[in-house]
Amino acid sequence: MNTYLFEHQYLDVTIKRLKAKIGHLAHRLFRLEGQKEKLTTHISSVVFGSKKLFKHQFTKKEFVQDHQSWKELFLAVRNKQVLISGRKDAAAGNFVFTYQPDTHDLHMTSLSGKVVTFSNVVFPYGQEQVNQTVVRCK
């Protein structure tokens, strides 16, 4: 109709929408940069058990009535330890797991032959012993 209505009904609304979109994108960039920094500095850990087992305390009838039995099962599954046995005839002591002390990478070969790499694996107790043993076996 006229320039006044065009400005207030279209331009002002469009400008407001674009400013909001820029704000959302800036916030997303801030969150993603924080996640990127966390991924480079944070050492992840192994978690045993599953969501399914955790939900059983609320959904399975025997565990709802007897919470202690669920807790014992849950704690047994979430033992927080992995035992990797070695072999003398393997190059690095094990055919499934291979540890690279210079890059701190742990390579695992699955049953299907796919190699999974865990980066930045550090042993809080005995890192030097692990490094010496791996270097000696090679």
Side-chain angles (χ1 to χ4, degrees):
M1 254 186 202
N2 59 30
T3 56
Y4 178 79
L5 287 176
F6 174 74
E7 180 183 344
H8 289 289
Q9 289 181 349
Y10 179 75
L11 287 180
D12 287 349
V13 173
T14 306
I15 290 170
K16 187 175 181 181
R17 188 178 301 128
L18 287 174
K19 284 182 179 180
K21 192 171 188 176
I22 289 170
H24 290 301
L25 289 173
H27 177 67
R28 182 169 185 233
L29 178 64
F30 176 75
R31 278 190 312 108
L32 290 174
E33 285 175 348
Q35 286 179 359
K36 180 182 173 185
E37 182 180 330
K38 184 178 177 185
L39 286 173
T40 57
T41 59
H42 178 71
I43 299 173
S44 56
S45 61
V46 178
V47 177
F48 299 94
S50 65
K51 285 184 184 178
K52 183 179 177 183
L53 180 61
F54 182 77
K55 290 178 182 178
H56 279 330
Q57 68 176 318
F58 307 114
T59 56
K60 279 213 162 192
K61 194 172 189 175
E62 62 266 17
F63 292 139
V64 171
Q65 294 173 352
D66 185 16
H67 184 74
Q68 187 62 32
S69 65
W70 170 84
K71 189 174 180 182
E72 289 172 5
L73 176 65
F74 187 72
L75 291 176
V77 171
R78 294 181 58 94
N79 193 6
K80 298 183 182 177
Q81 290 184 357
V82 176
L83 179 63
I84 303 171
S85 61
R87 291 180 56 166
K88 288 184 179 181
D89 60 341
N94 193 304
F95 289 115
V96 178
F97 288 93
T98 306
Y99 184 69
Q100 303 294 330
D102 51 344
T103 60
H104 297 290
D105 289 342
L106 181 68
H107 303 283
M108 180 191 83
T109 307
S110 67
L111 294 174
S112 63
K114 181 180 176 185
V115 177
V116 180
T117 302
F118 302 99
S119 58
N120 200 16
V121 175
V122 180
F123 300 97
Y125 305 103
Q127 179 70 44
E128 291 299 320
Q129 293 172 342
V130 170
N131 292 346
Q132 291 171 359
T133 305
V134 170
V135 169
R136 195 172 345 132
C137 290
K138 287 185 177 182

